[in-house]
Amino acid sequence: MSKKYFLVGFAILFAVKAYTQRERVENLPTFDDRKIHYGFYLGLNQNDFKLNLRNSSIQNANITVSPSTGFNVGLIADLRLHKNLNLRLEPGLMTNSKNIYFNHLTTERDSVREVSSTFLHVPVILKFSTDRYKNIRPYLLAGVSYNYNFTSNESNQEDNSQGQFRMKTHNFMYEVGIGIDIYLYFFKFSPSIRGIFAINNEIKYDNDPNSQWTAPVNYMGTRGVFLNLAFE
């Protein structure tokens, strides 16, 4: 799922190396002295579901997920705690879609559910940076996030028996990642790659406790890869 994101990441790192070999002037020399600064980000995401099945009345249950690439955009508020540590709030919108295949069912109407989601994604992140070297500064990211799923259909009275797959509206994640700050003449450019992992079970179970769609599911939680390009 994440191979292409890591290939893009390696391409960015090679570009950074070429840039630093060419560039000797230190740009934005006092940028990191600011107590608070702001920015925005654009990016791509690819979200999957981690699935754990359980024993149920459904024999030979087999469920798989096929993700697609989505888009994310948001704002950044950065608070400097220490010369190598920053606290960041990064609220934004995230869209993606997934197909869930219930391979133990025979008809196409029953065996496929398309889950298209739009989230309010609100991460609180700690950013651990190395000391600056010329115009670059690598960093690590770790934090937690809250997701509000606008398209969860949690309150919908219809369930999979009427063709409606439901998710929970309020969800929580943890995030880890790596990136690099690149100090340009007018602004700081910061590409990063991060993984996100759901903490809570996101599935909304069907009304029927023996539902062929949800009865076999013990846990369903988002896991994904983000490629973010931040401008600060």
Side-chain angles (χ1 to χ4, degrees), residues 39-108:
F40 68 93
Y41 64 87
L42 305 170
L44 300 174
N45 67 74
Q46 190 172 60
N47 285 355
D48 197 353
F49 282 130
K50 179 181 179 180
L51 279 168
N52 288 331
L53 301 184
R54 62 187 177 189
N55 293 327
S56 69
S57 59
I58 310 306
Q59 299 298 314
N60 301 314
N62 183 2
I63 305 173
T64 56
V65 182
S66 176
S68 63
T69 300
F71 182 73
N72 34 289
V73 59
L75 302 174
I76 299 169
D78 184 290
L79 173 65
R80 180 177 180 266
L81 302 178
H82 180 268
K83 70 172 186 175
N84 300 108
L85 180 64
N86 294 63
L87 179 66
R88 296 165 69 88
L89 181 66
E90 301 180 355
L93 292 176
M94 175 178 67
T95 64
N96 59 61
S97 64
K98 298 170 278 288
N99 283 333
I100 304 176
Y101 297 95
F102 299 89
N103 302 305
H104 53 282
L105 302 177
T106 56
T107 66
E108 183 176 352

Side-chain angles (χ1 to χ4, degrees), residues 116-146:
S116 297
S117 301
T118 300
F119 299 93
L120 171 64
H121 182 64
V122 186
V124 178
I125 302 293
L126 285 173
K127 177 181 178 182
F128 305 90
S129 303
T130 67
D131 290 339
R132 176 173 172 170
Y133 176 73
K134 300 186 185 302
N135 286 321
I136 64 169
R137 195 178 193 193
Y139 59 82
L140 299 175
L141 300 168
V144 294
S145 57
Y146 164 74

Side-chain angles (χ1 to χ4, degrees), residues 48-52 65 197-198 201 217 219-223:
D48 197 353
F49 282 130
K50 179 181 179 180
L51 279 168
N52 288 331
V65 182
F197 307 91
N201 190 0
V217 178
Y219 174 85
M220 177 181 285
T222 296
R223 60 181 180 182

Side-chain angles (χ1 to χ4, degrees), residues 1-13 43-47 66-71 96-97 192-194 224-228:
M1 179 186 71
S2 58
K3 286 184 179 178
K4 63 182 178 182
Y5 289 91
F6 286 107
L7 289 174
V8 171
F10 282 125
I12 290 172
L13 291 176
L44 300 174
N45 67 74
Q46 190 172 60
N47 285 355
S66 176
S68 63
T69 300
F71 182 73
N96 59 61
S97 64
S192 66
I193 296 175
R194 67 181 72 178
V225 176
F226 279 27
L227 172 63
N228 277 354

Side-chain angles (χ1 to χ4, degrees), residues 157-192:
Q157 296 303 308
E158 296 183 349
D159 61 14
N160 279 289
S161 61
Q162 289 84 40
Q164 181 65 63
F165 190 83
R166 301 178 296 179
M167 303 289 292
K168 292 181 180 176
T169 303
H170 306 280
N171 301 288
F172 298 90
M173 317 279 174
Y174 68 90
E175 307 187 12
V176 292
I178 60 172
I180 189 166
D181 288 333
I182 306 171
Y183 298 81
L184 303 177
Y185 190 76
F186 289 110
F187 62 89
K188 184 171 71 172
F189 173 59
S190 301
S192 66

